[in-house]
């Protein structure tokens, strides 16, 4: 696992700038660094050594050094690839996975990406052709930012690295901000800064002679697969999960697992326990507030499998980490579960270098309750002529200054019924609905985002989906939006900020491709989510865990914003600095604060605004530097 950076140009790139970018990525790779400079190219990397710890340095080269690559991630099928490439006459200088890239390129050209099984972002330079390839893995576990200007292209694993060499290029992109306020993250290909883009998941960028081309090389195939025997399907689920887990347990450094107490992480721990001769190290995080605490369920799994279990308790004082998170994420990011994610990564890193997790289980096997809710709403057949009236009435109820919480909820239901499926889902996922953004924006921001429809992003994904059935279609949409934009960003940033590598068996593309083709009723059936996965896990996990309501990895943020965090929220959002931005109407921000204090739930909106403001102060208002130090450990370690 590493951080990568580089530059290509029709002229001569600046090697010193690449070193500066790599310095900004030191947390991603504390174990070493490597550089290559040639005609028109400079590449660099920082290394977190996990495979071939002694000999696996980068960059890596082919036999005549005409092809060079830097790599971030893990290729889990590298032993098979290596054997095949050796049989074809290739010579290896290292024992790691990275060197497979240059030899695969010699065999397959740009199609090398189709042969990789793993998580990755890499840069490969073909000196003979004068061509640079940038690629991201299929689902987008590993990030890659780039700036393409005047025949030159620079790239890096994190936005802060690109900003380190262009400190004057830190102007907020109003369209990216507009999308962020809808989705709680900045969706690819946008970044929050003008002039910088994110390479989308499953995509390959080619630069040659100053020209850039991007193409998608993978999409999840939902072509229906006939299933005649549920027991066989459940057995196949176990087989694929075991195999995906096995190949992710290969490491020369200490390894463990995040154990939340949910089905997905518990299933991964159960698979690990079946494959490991030693007790699995497991790590959980919880809260004093029982509504958000899943530690008892994690303990049940830990006891069943005899794991070496460790728990951490988060209190409101854990919010001291907010300035650090603003530095880590590079962009405003409003998923509050980043807080416990950061701490469980930080404290797990004291004992392990690699941690497996349950990410992807919901998108692969149908775990979100919103899939059930959307299915129920689909049964209401609203005549198209009546939809506009429902939306108008619902909008009036939600935006009325005198409306209480019950009227606002009724307004939301009416609005949802008045939408088609893509718009309904977009509203369910929204932090700020369009009418709420209109009330929030200053005249200037309204003008700069005029005609930009954030919901159109989901419209396009729905339109392109070939999934059969509403539930499968929603999973397809999430795989192409929420999963890479929110969940995978959260895990990559919080783990790599602590020099910890996270691996996700449920995101194995072979497992995902098999599950995607299953009938939707094997995933969501009569109000039951993850139907097949629960059936597959009946002999692996406690019954009470399989059948309890989904809890999620949330934090008691609504309460904190009315108590411990109240003054901080007011100060951050209403002081002179915030008012001077020119993005939001001060009176609209104060109204949100007042409404939340009065009992309405404005948590998501306030948190999104706070994260943007904290990010702006850390990333734009002051020179870039290292992460702020925490004032002290805000957690209790149990076990």
């Amino acid at each position: 696992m590493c951080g990568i950076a580089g530059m290509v140009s029709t002229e001569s790139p600046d090697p010193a700038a690449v070193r500066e970018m790599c310095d900004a990525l030191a947390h991603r790779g504390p174990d070493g660094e490597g550089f290559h400079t040639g005609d028109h190219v400079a590449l660099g990397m920082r290394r977190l050594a996990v495979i071939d710890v002694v000999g696996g340095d980068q960059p890596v080269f082919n036999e005549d050094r005409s092809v060079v690559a830097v790599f971030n991630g893990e290729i889990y099928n590298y032993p098979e690839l290596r054997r095949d490439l050796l049989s074809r006459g290739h010579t290896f200088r290292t024992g790691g996975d990275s060197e497979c890239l240059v030899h695969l390129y010699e065999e397959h050209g740009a199609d090398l990406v189709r042969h990789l099984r793993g998580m990755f972002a890499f840069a490969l330079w073909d000196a003979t052709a004068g061509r640079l390839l940038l690629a991201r893995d299929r689902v987008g576990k590993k990030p890659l930012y780039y700036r393409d200007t005047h025949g030159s292209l620079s790239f890096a694993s994190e936005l802060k690295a690109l900003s380190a060499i262009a400190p004057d290029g830190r102007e907020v992109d109003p369209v990216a901000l507009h999308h962020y306020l809808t989705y709680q993250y900045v969706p690819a290909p946008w970044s929050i800064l003008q002039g910088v883009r994110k390479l989308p998941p499953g995509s390959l960028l080619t630069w040659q002679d100053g020209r850039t081309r991007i193409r998608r090389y993978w999409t999840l195939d939902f072509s229906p697969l006939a299933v005649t025997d549920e027991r066989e399907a459940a057995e196949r689920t176990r087989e694929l999960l075991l195999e995906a887990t096995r190949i992710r347990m290969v490491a020369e450094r200490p390894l463990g697992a995040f154990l939340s107490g949910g089905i997905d992480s518990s299933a991964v721990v159960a698979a690990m326990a079946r494959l490991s001769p030693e007790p699995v190290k497991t790590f959980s995080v919880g809260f004093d507030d029982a509504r958000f605490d899943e530690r008892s369920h994690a303990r049940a799994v830990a006891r069943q499998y005899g794991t070496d279990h460790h728990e951490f308790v988060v209190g409101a004082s854990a919010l001291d980490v907010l300035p650090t998170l603003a530095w880590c994420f590079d962009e405003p990011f409003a998923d509050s579960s980043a807080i416990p994610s950061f701490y469980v990564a930080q404290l797990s890193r004291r004992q392990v270098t690699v941690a497996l997790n349950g990410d992807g289980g919901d998108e692969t096997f149908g775990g979100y309750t919103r899939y059930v809710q959307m299915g129920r709403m689909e049964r209401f057949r609203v005549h198209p002529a009546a939809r506009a009236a429902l939306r108008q009435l619902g909008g009036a109820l939600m935006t009325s200054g005198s409306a209480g919480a019950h009227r606002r909820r009724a307004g939301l239901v009416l609005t949802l019924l008045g939408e088609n499926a893509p718009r309904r889902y977009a509203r369910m996922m929204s932090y700020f609905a369009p009418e709420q953004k209109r009330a929030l924006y200053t005249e200037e921001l309204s003008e700069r985002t005029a005609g930009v429809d954030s919901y159109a992003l989901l419209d396009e994904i729905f339109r392109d989906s070939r999934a059969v059935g509403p539930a499968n279609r929603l999973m397809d949409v999430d795989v192409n939006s929420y999963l890479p934009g929110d969940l995978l960003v959260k895990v990559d940033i919080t783990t790599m900020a602590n020099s910890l590598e996270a691996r996700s068996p449920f995101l194995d593309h072979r497992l995902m491709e098999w599950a995607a083709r299953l009938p939707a009723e094997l995933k969501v059936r009569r109000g039951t989510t993850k139907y097949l996965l629960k059936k597959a896990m009946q002999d692996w996990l406690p019954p009470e865990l399989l059948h309890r309501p989904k809890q999620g990895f949330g934090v008691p943020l609504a309460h904190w914003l009315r108590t411990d965090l109240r003054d901080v929220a007011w100060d951050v959002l209403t002081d002179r600095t915030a008012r001077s931005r020119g993005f939001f109407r001060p009176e609209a921000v104060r109204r949100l604060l007042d409404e939340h204090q009065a009992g309405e739930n404005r948590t998501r909106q306030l948190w999104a605004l706070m994260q943007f403001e904290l990010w702006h102060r850390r990333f734009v208002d002051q020179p870039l530097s290292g992460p702020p130090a925490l004032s002290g450990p805000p957690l209790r370690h149990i076990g």
Side-chain angles (χ1 to χ4, degrees):
M1 191 66 66
C2 307
I4 62 173
M7 304 175 71
V8 288
S9 176
T10 53
E11 300 178 352
S12 297
D14 181 3
V18 175
R19 288 183 176 272
E20 189 173 358
M21 286 196 285
C22 287
D23 287 343
L25 299 173
H27 55 284
R28 296 185 75 94
D31 297 328
E33 62 183 11
F35 300 93
H36 169 75
T37 302
D39 294 338
H40 307 294
V41 66
L43 303 177
M45 57 82 63
R46 296 285 311 208
R47 185 182 183 215
L48 176 64
V50 176
I51 301 292
D52 191 16
V53 171
V54 175
D57 291 336
Q58 299 182 40
V60 290
F61 300 86
N62 67 336
E63 290 85 352
D64 65 5
R65 299 180 70 87
S66 63
V67 180
V68 56
V70 288
F71 172 77
N72 169 28
E74 297 288 350
I75 301 172
Y76 300 121
N77 63 331
Y78 85 93
E80 303 96 286
L81 293 174
R82 183 185 177 93
R83 285 193 295 270
D84 178 68
L85 290 164
L86 285 169
S87 73
R88 294 172 183 266
H90 291 275
T91 301
F92 281 76
R93 295 181 177 88
T94 73
D97 54 349
S98 306
E99 196 176 352
C100 290
L101 295 175
V102 292
H103 301 303
L104 280 171
Y105 177 77
E106 290 181 293
E107 294 288 334
H108 305 288
D111 278 344
L112 87 158
V113 290
R114 302 182 187 278
H115 297 263
L116 303 177
R117 186 179 183 183
M119 55 179 180
F120 54 83
F122 68 79
L124 183 147
W125 174 251
D126 180 342
T128 303
R131 179 190 302 124
L132 176 79
L133 300 182
L134 299 179
R136 283 185 75 191
D137 62 74
R138 292 168 178 81
V139 295
K141 284 210 69 183
K142 295 290 103 182
L144 201 57
Y145 291 83
Y146 68 95
R147 180 185 282 114
D148 189 5
T149 55
H150 310 300
S152 298
L153 184 141
S154 52
F155 64 89
S157 295
E158 295 184 10
L159 186 57
K160 64 174 64 68
L162 289 173
S163 296
I165 62 170
D168 296 330
R170 288 185 280 165
E171 184 176 347
V172 172
D173 183 336
V175 173
L177 173 59
H178 187 63
H179 293 329
Y180 160 73
L181 291 171
T182 296
Y183 294 112
Q184 74 177 331
Y185 58 87
V186 178
W190 287 270
S191 88
I192 194 61
L193 297 183
Q194 292 194 40
V196 180
R197 308 290 271 182
K198 291 195 281 268
L199 185 64
S203 295
L204 182 72
L205 180 151
T206 304
W207 180 97
Q208 192 169 22
D209 297 326
R211 293 185 296 274
T212 300
R213 181 172 63 93
I214 297 174
R215 67 177 175 88
R216 187 80 179 257
Y217 69 83
W218 183 83
T219 55
L220 190 56
D221 180 11
F222 278 83
S223 301
L225 177 70
V227 175
T228 58
D229 191 321
E230 286 185 7
R231 289 174 298 180
E232 289 183 4
E235 177 59 29
R236 183 60 176 154
T237 299
R238 289 189 291 269
E239 291 173 356
L240 287 168
L241 179 59
L242 278 167
E243 202 246 347
T245 302
R246 177 186 60 78
I247 61 177
R248 283 163 176 79
M249 292 178 67
V250 177
E252 297 175 20
R253 305 286 291 274
L255 178 142
F258 297 155
L259 179 58
S260 70
I263 293 174
D264 303 331
S265 65
S266 299
V268 169
V269 168
M272 293 176 72
R274 283 168 165 75
L275 296 164
S276 175
E278 303 293 333
V280 177
K281 289 183 178 292
T282 54
F283 304 91
S284 298
V285 65
F287 302 89
D288 290 326
D289 189 330
R291 294 171 300 169
F292 297 87
D293 191 31
E294 294 187 282
R295 285 176 295 150
S296 62
H297 305 290
R299 285 182 208 133
V301 175
R303 283 194 300 269
Q304 179 170 333
Y305 288 102
T307 73
D308 179 8
H309 189 57
H310 302 265
E311 296 180 357
F312 311 102
V313 181
V314 179
S317 60
L319 294 166
D320 293 344
V321 79
L322 292 184
T324 299
L325 290 179
W327 179 86
C328 293
F329 275 90
D330 288 350
E331 298 185 278
F333 185 78
D335 186 340
S336 59
S337 65
I339 297 168
S341 295
F342 179 88
Y343 280 121
V344 75
Q346 182 188 66
L347 295 168
S348 300
R349 183 60 176 90
R350 297 176 183 176
Q351 299 195 43
V352 300
T353 308
V354 178
L356 275 63
N357 62 36
D359 288 351
D362 289 315
E363 292 80 7
T364 301
F365 286 98
Y368 294 120
T369 55
R370 59 179 179 262
Y371 299 156
V372 176
Q373 294 164 355
M374 281 286 290
R376 288 171 177 165
M377 297 194 81
E378 285 289 304
R379 299 192 189 105
F380 288 89
R381 301 297 180 183
V382 179
H383 194 280
R387 288 179 176 173
L390 286 173
R391 292 196 301 270
Q392 185 176 7
L393 177 58
L397 287 172
M398 286 192 295
T399 57
S400 171
S402 60
H406 294 296
R407 288 171 62 88
R408 292 184 196 275
R409 282 195 291 270
L412 175 59
V413 171
L414 291 174
T415 302
L416 291 173
L417 288 173
E419 300 283 12
N420 60 21
R423 296 273 153 159
R424 184 177 297 155
Y425 198 56
R427 278 191 173 270
M428 290 179 70
M429 300 296 286
S430 289
Y431 269 46
F432 282 89
E435 61 273 9
Q436 293 172 319
K437 290 198 282 189
R438 286 194 295 271
L440 175 71
Y441 289 178
T442 61
E443 185 176 342
E444 179 184 358
L445 184 56
S446 293
E447 290 175 355
R448 297 183 72 183
T449 57
V452 179
D453 180 5
S454 292
Y455 287 175
L457 304 183
L458 287 194
D459 286 344
E460 182 178 357
I461 299 173
F462 268 92
R463 186 171 59 249
D464 292 343
S465 176
R466 297 294 178 265
V468 176
N472 271 341
R473 191 171 300 115
L474 293 176
M475 283 177 256
D476 194 10
V477 169
D478 279 347
V479 165
N480 287 283
S481 56
Y482 178 66
L483 177 68
D486 183 314
L487 299 184
L488 301 187
V489 172
K490 174 185 67 180
V491 173
D492 176 77
I493 293 298
T494 56
T495 55
M496 292 310 297
N498 292 288
S499 303
L500 177 73
E501 178 175 303
R503 299 178 179 178
S504 308
F506 279 110
L507 292 176
D508 183 273
H509 78 272
R510 293 184 183 175
L511 187 156
M512 292 181 73
E513 288 171 344
W514 178 80
R517 301 185 62 193
L518 294 172
E521 59 268 22
L522 284 182
K523 302 167 193 175
V524 180
R525 177 181 293 188
R526 293 191 292 273
T528 297
T529 57
K530 290 182 185 164
Y531 174 83
L532 181 63
L533 183 61
K534 290 174 180 176
K535 193 176 187 69
M537 293 295 110
Q538 282 178 345
D539 295 333
W540 285 20
L541 299 177
E544 61 274 15
L545 185 148
L546 290 173
H547 302 294
R548 71 185 183 89
K550 181 176 177 60
Q551 191 163 343
F553 199 35
V555 300
L557 193 56
H559 173 71
W560 287 350
L561 284 169
R562 294 189 182 103
T563 53
D564 301 80
L565 199 57
R566 178 185 180 278
D567 292 341
V568 174
W570 274 90
D571 290 344
V572 167
L573 295 179
T574 66
D575 69 4
R576 180 177 298 180
T577 300
R579 295 197 310 270
S580 68
R581 301 275 181 229
F583 294 121
F584 312 126
R585 300 177 187 272
E587 65 275 16
V589 175
R590 286 195 297 271
R591 186 182 307 119
L592 290 171
L593 288 161
D594 286 335
E595 289 172 351
H596 188 77
Q597 199 62 32
E600 293 197 45
N601 190 351
R602 295 298 187 214
T603 306
R604 302 211 306 181
Q605 291 94 343
L606 291 174
W607 193 247
L609 294 175
M610 286 183 66
Q611 295 315 298
F612 173 73
E613 179 60 31
L614 289 169
W615 167 83
H616 204 290
R617 294 183 187 202
R618 187 69 182 85
F619 206 85
V620 179
D621 293 351
Q622 57 183 286
L624 288 177
S625 59
L630 294 177
S631 58
L635 311 182
R636 298 198 305 276
H637 181 192
I638 304 171

